[in-house]
Amino acid sequence: MEPIQIAERAEVESLLPMRPFSGGNTGYDPLAESGDDVPLLSDFWDRMLCAAILAGLGVLVYQSIFGTWFRPVILEAENDQWARLILRPAILWGAMGTLLVTFRTVLWFRYRSFPSATMEDAPPLTVIIPAYNEGAMVLQSIESVARARYPRERLEILVVDDGSRDDTWEHIQRAAARYPELVTTRRQPENRGKREALAYGFENARGEIVVTLDSDSVIEPGALLALAGPFRNPRVGAVAGKVKVYNRRQGVIPRMLHVRYIISFDMLRASESGYGNVYCCPGALTAYRLSLVRKVIHRWLRQTFLGAPCTVGEDRALTNLVLASGHDTVYQRSAVVQTVAPASYGKLCRMFLRWNRSYVREELLFLRLVWKRPLRTRVIALFDRLITDLRYPVHYACVLLVAFTMPHHPFVLLRLLTVVGGVSAINMLYYLRSERSPDFFYGILYAYYSLFTLFWIFPVALFTVRSRSWLTR
């Protein structure tokens, strides 16, 4: 990541100041796992929002069956053979997609955070922070870990400078001097990539649990205890944290991304956690069982795709290896991290290009390993990925269909924009259930922004999937 001066960043919320981990109950059902969540909102408003979400889903179900929103497109398409080839699969996908969203919503309603570890039974834990040209932000990241609630005699912070060319190493040394009993440092002689930096941490960590934390991210005080909690169950191999945007007051793009992150990193991962199959445990904050990581580290480090070494998407790749080993990946809502998001269009596009390239690669790999998952998880995951992955061809085909229809029905575009706004408004009900904030407006704005300015990202990522460029380095 390019250096970002700390003065340009929003203020993070204030932070509060090795024996084996013995778990509790090992009887485990992801669909029934629960803890004591702090209510997202008051019970009354939570019930109201749940009712509104169900009403919105009802509207989507009705439209997917009767299709009154796009009646002119449907009538026009019925008179053309090639248009029918697009329309009928699109209608079927819309119905199946609505069913998937409804299923995810039920799992999201049922989700509860896992009980956190306690100061008495917390396992030995190592936090690995890889850094490259991060500047002063890496000090904020280390500080947030050092001041988190966790037994200090069972906490280790391992910071790896991956050959930075700025003052990152100076800030790392400052943190090491401030917390000599906690912080261990390593300076790579040259830039070798994030995987190499993380691999050094995995190979030298002393904890039973390892947490990966991006150097442009800060954790909230209870995050480490929250991450350690789910490992009471031996089937859990990785735990994903909840990601928020650190610099969301910096501009419109970070504000839009914050809303998107809450929906993607809370609603989706909470529902995926319901069947023990979180597809991507994020590099911003994830905990792993170290003994498991060490079994797969060489495959992960030497991963290739179509003959090219893989240098991006290390988090999704490691998640796939955890799932392939027979372990579950789950989500812990109470483990919160705030990460710096792109504030400009160029950086946003480069981030999404990187994400989409790894998405294409790892989706193909997941289709090979999904057969190793338990039957119930396998069936749900196959349905989920089929509908999710088909959204791209359906989306682009429907855009062509709308363009074909517009000369005869010019108001179709207006209908499309209205539908985009309506569906995004329903999505914002999910956001409001997680955060009671007027920022929901930026989620609706993001729907239009992505429609007109980010539509090209996936096709470019697909045709450049072998690219090794990090793009932000």
Side-chain angles (χ1 to χ4, degrees):
M1 178 176 176
E2 296 175 357
I4 300 179
Q5 295 301 320
I6 212 68
E8 295 177 351
R9 301 173 183 269
E11 287 292 321
V12 71
E13 296 175 7
S14 60
L15 301 170
L16 304 175
M18 280 182 159
R19 71 188 187 197
F21 188 36
S22 58
N25 177 26
T26 59
Y28 171 65
D29 181 356
L31 289 171
E33 187 72 48
S34 65
D36 296 326
D37 263 356
V38 176
L40 296 175
L41 296 172
S42 67
D43 289 342
F44 171 76
W45 284 109
D46 188 59
R47 287 195 296 268
M48 291 292 291
L49 284 168
C50 289
I53 289 170
L54 293 175
L57 288 174
V59 172
L60 292 180
V61 170
Y62 177 86
Q63 288 299 326
S64 67
I65 295 173
F66 298 102
T68 56
W69 282 341
F70 288 105
R71 180 63 59 185
V73 177
I74 294 172
L75 294 175
E76 185 74 21
E78 289 295 337
N79 298 322
D80 189 279
Q81 183 176 358
W82 76 265
R84 286 199 300 271
L85 293 176
I86 296 176
L87 179 66
R88 290 171 182 174
I91 292 176
L92 176 61
W93 178 86
M96 299 301 289
T98 302
L99 177 61
L100 175 61
V101 171
T102 303
F103 177 70
R104 286 173 172 173
T105 301
V106 171
L107 291 180
W108 183 58
F109 284 166
R110 294 186 59 183
Y111 172 85
R112 297 294 183 273
S113 294
F114 292 78
S116 297
T118 66
M119 294 292 283
E120 290 72 33
D121 73 354
L125 181 146
T126 299
V127 180
I128 304 170
I129 306 176
Y132 178 73
N133 287 354
E134 202 60 67
M137 188 64 199
V138 69
L139 180 59
Q140 298 287 330
S141 182
I142 299 169
E143 287 269 1
S144 72
V145 178
R147 299 168 65 183
R149 291 192 293 270
Y150 209 84
R152 296 178 78 85
E153 69 277 9
R154 282 170 257 159
L155 176 63
E156 175 190 30
I157 307 172
L158 209 166
V159 189
V160 183
D161 182 347
D162 187 27
S164 297
R165 296 190 298 268
D166 63 354
D167 60 350
T168 296
W169 181 245
E170 296 175 15
H171 292 289
I172 292 174
Q173 290 294 88
R174 186 180 306 170
R178 191 174 299 173
Y179 305 102
E181 76 286 4
L182 292 178
V183 178
T184 302
T185 64
R186 158 75 175 180
R187 190 177 194 182
Q188 304 277 56
E190 59 185 3
N191 178 233
R192 297 175 178 174
K194 188 176 180 181
R195 288 198 193 209
E196 291 280 355
L198 285 171
Y200 176 87
F202 292 143
E203 291 167 351
N204 290 275
R206 298 196 299 268
E208 293 179 17
I209 307 300
V210 285
V211 173
T212 60
L213 175 66
D214 281 348
S215 56
D216 61 352
S217 306
V218 295
I219 61 171
E220 294 192 355
L224 297 182
L225 288 173
L227 286 172
F231 289 102
R232 290 188 175 98
N233 190 281
R235 281 176 54 186
V236 173
V239 180
K242 179 176 181 177
V243 182
K244 296 184 176 183
V245 172
Y246 179 86
N247 57 325
R248 58 185 174 273
R249 305 302 176 195
Q250 195 175 341
V252 174
I253 290 178
R255 282 178 181 265
M256 292 191 297
L257 287 176
H258 177 69
V259 178
R260 182 186 183 275
Y261 283 11
I262 292 299
I263 294 174
S264 297
F265 299 157
D266 184 75
M267 187 272 183
L268 286 180
R269 285 179 179 149
S271 64
E272 293 164 2
S273 186
Y275 51 99
N277 209 109
V278 174
Y279 297 97
C280 181
C281 295
L285 183 66
T286 290
Y288 300 93
R289 197 178 295 276
L290 181 58
S291 59
L292 173 59
V293 172
R294 285 181 172 166
K295 292 178 182 178
V296 301
I297 188 171
H298 293 294
R299 291 173 55 196
W300 172 74
L301 194 57
R302 306 304 173 202
Q303 182 186 16
T304 61
F305 183 73
L306 298 178
C310 299
T311 56
V312 300
E314 75 291 330
D315 48 3
R316 179 74 192 271
L318 190 52
T319 303
N320 268 346
L321 290 173
V322 171
L323 292 170
S325 72
H327 288 76
D328 288 343
T329 54
V330 298
Y331 170 66
Q332 180 70 309
R333 176 182 285 154
S334 54
V336 180
V337 63
Q338 302 202 34
T339 190
V340 174
S344 68
Y345 176 69
K347 291 182 179 180
L348 177 67
C349 291
R350 291 194 289 272
M351 181 185 76
F352 279 143
L353 273 172
R354 193 173 71 247
W355 286 6
N356 277 268
R357 285 170 181 159
S358 65
Y359 169 83
V360 171
R361 181 188 74 223
E362 299 301 329
E363 282 291 284
L364 293 173
L365 296 176
F366 180 76
L367 290 177
R368 294 167 55 186
L369 70 87
V370 68
W371 307 103
K372 301 178 181 179
R373 305 295 294 148
L375 178 61
R376 179 179 60 176
T377 300
R378 188 189 320 156
V379 172
I380 296 173
L382 284 171
F383 175 68
D384 184 300
R385 300 333 288 169
L386 175 66
I387 302 303
T388 300
D389 293 340
L390 283 176
R391 74 187 186 273
Y392 289 108
V394 170
H395 168 78
Y396 292 113
C398 287
V399 169
L400 288 175
L401 185 59
V402 169
F404 168 77
T405 310
M406 278 183 60
H408 306 285
H409 301 279
F411 288 105
V412 165
L413 179 60
L414 181 60
R415 284 181 179 238
L416 174 64
L417 297 178
T418 302
V419 169
V420 169
V423 173
S424 63
I426 294 173
N427 283 337
M428 290 312 101
L429 295 173
Y430 292 86
Y431 171 76
L432 286 171
R433 186 171 182 258
S434 296
E435 287 195 2
R436 185 160 46 181
S437 166
D439 280 355
F440 75 88
F441 166 78
Y442 291 95
I444 298 175
L445 180 62
Y446 178 79
Y448 292 106
Y449 183 82
S450 61
L451 177 66
F452 290 106
T453 69
L454 302 177
F455 64 91
W456 59 273
I457 295 286
F458 183 78
V460 172
L462 181 63
F463 287 105
T464 60
V465 68
R466 294 177 72 251
S467 174
R468 300 172 56 190
S469 173
W470 191 263
L471 296 174
T472 55
R473 288 176 176 261

